[in-house]
Amino acid sequence: MKAPVICIDGPNASGKGAISRALAEHLGWHRLDSGVLYRALGLAASRRSLSPADSGVLAALAAELDVDLHGERILLDGEDVTRELGTEEAGTEASRVAVLAPVRAALLERQRGFRRPPGLVADGRDMGTVVFPDAKWKVFLTASPEVRAARRYNQLRHQGMDVSLAGLFEAIRERDERDRLRDTAPLRPANGALQLDTTHLGVSEVLACVIEHVRTTGRSMRPEVSGEQGGDGHRQRTCGDT
């Protein structure tokens, strides 16, 4: 039998990285941060002066990309690029190459290769819809663009980077649009995914919701449900009793 997978999808700065990291530690499972692969590819492409128009070349580069994940450290061609991949520029480059179908196809089996016992927590934008469609647990996190920009601003400032809150808000807005409108693997909740709005929730609150969801497969959760439904028919939820 295949190892179990928990998919945590959502837009930039929705909290999926922090939640997937904490959840993997809680369960003692492996973790896949799929965004690292796209960021590393975007950086490698930039260093080679490749553009999105070079989709075939980029796909070939993706297939042979020399990237190693060592805990929180990321090596590209043997060089530690952890800090460089955490910048907004790296995120923008990742978003540009991620829209290319040949690139996504080249990275698909590589991502699936992270699935091994005792289990995998995978975060990204298409983990539940494309990479692991058979996963038992699927979660989609979101938050308002204003809150996501503020989170990213505080994170980057804490890392000593000089950034603009207004610039981050615009970058998030543009990336959201690219991710939602791309033809291949657009950003959207997987069918049956638990959707959590993290705008007013801390990491510990969201983690408690997800753990409860995993334990009960969603049947015993008591979330507060808003009256609005998303365009896909899923109901947006915020976590109540945990």
Side-chain angles (χ1 to χ4, degrees):
M1 295 181 63
K2 291 183 178 180
V5 179
I6 302 171
C7 298
I8 312 288
D9 286 314
N12 190 34
S14 58
K16 61 184 184 293
I19 296 303
S20 64
R21 187 179 303 109
L23 184 60
E25 291 177 359
H26 175 81
L27 296 172
W29 287 12
H30 302 287
R31 175 177 176 247
L32 166 61
D33 176 357
S34 64
V36 165
L37 298 178
Y38 287 99
R39 284 172 178 261
L41 177 60
L43 177 59
S46 177
R47 289 179 171 182
R48 291 165 173 77
S49 300
L50 299 176
S51 76
D54 302 311
S55 60
V57 178
L58 285 169
L61 178 61
E64 61 184 25
L65 192 65
D66 182 12
V67 57
D68 291 311
L69 311 181
H70 295 274
E72 297 301 309
R73 293 177 64 238
I74 306 145
L75 303 182
L76 177 63
D77 297 324
E79 176 190 348
D80 189 335
V81 293
T82 309
R83 181 176 175 84
E84 195 168 356
L85 293 189
T87 64
E88 279 304 296
E89 291 77 10
T92 298
E93 292 300 323
S95 182
R96 288 171 178 162
V97 299
V99 302
L100 304 174
V103 166
R104 302 195 75 87
L107 290 178
L108 184 59
E109 290 307 316
R110 188 165 193 165
Q111 293 173 88
R112 288 176 175 166
F114 282 82
R115 186 178 195 170
R116 57 190 187 273
L120 175 68
V121 179
D123 81 67
R125 286 166 172 76
D126 64 344
M127 295 297 99
T129 55
V130 175
V131 182
F132 302 107
D134 64 330
K136 183 174 182 179
W137 299 285
K138 300 175 183 180
V139 178
F140 190 89
L141 304 181
T142 188
S144 71
E146 293 81 5
V147 166
R148 289 190 285 128
R151 287 174 180 171
R152 189 70 175 137
Y153 176 83
N154 291 332
Q155 179 187 34
L156 294 176
R157 292 286 291 181
H158 181 71
Q159 295 172 3
M161 300 183 189
D162 186 16
V163 291
S164 160
L165 181 57
L168 287 173
F169 177 83
E170 184 61 21
I172 282 177
R173 188 194 65 77
E174 291 178 355
R175 187 168 185 185
D176 284 352
E177 185 173 14
R178 276 198 302 271
D179 290 344
R180 285 196 305 267
L181 297 181
R182 67 190 182 207
D183 294 331
T184 303
L187 174 65
R188 61 177 176 81
N191 290 334
L194 170 70
Q195 292 190 67
L196 294 174
D197 186 333
T198 70
T199 299
H200 303 295
L201 299 176
V203 172
S204 61
E205 295 172 289
V206 178
L207 179 62
C209 283
V210 175
I211 289 174
E212 182 68 7
H213 174 61
V214 170
R215 285 174 176 167
T216 64
T217 319
R219 287 190 295 271
S220 298
M221 286 193 68
R222 291 176 289 172
E224 296 172 359
V225 182
S226 71
E228 297 296 324
Q229 288 192 344
D232 58 358
H234 293 275
R235 298 182 73 86
Q236 284 289 111
R237 297 177 175 180
T238 56
C239 197
D241 294 339
T242 58

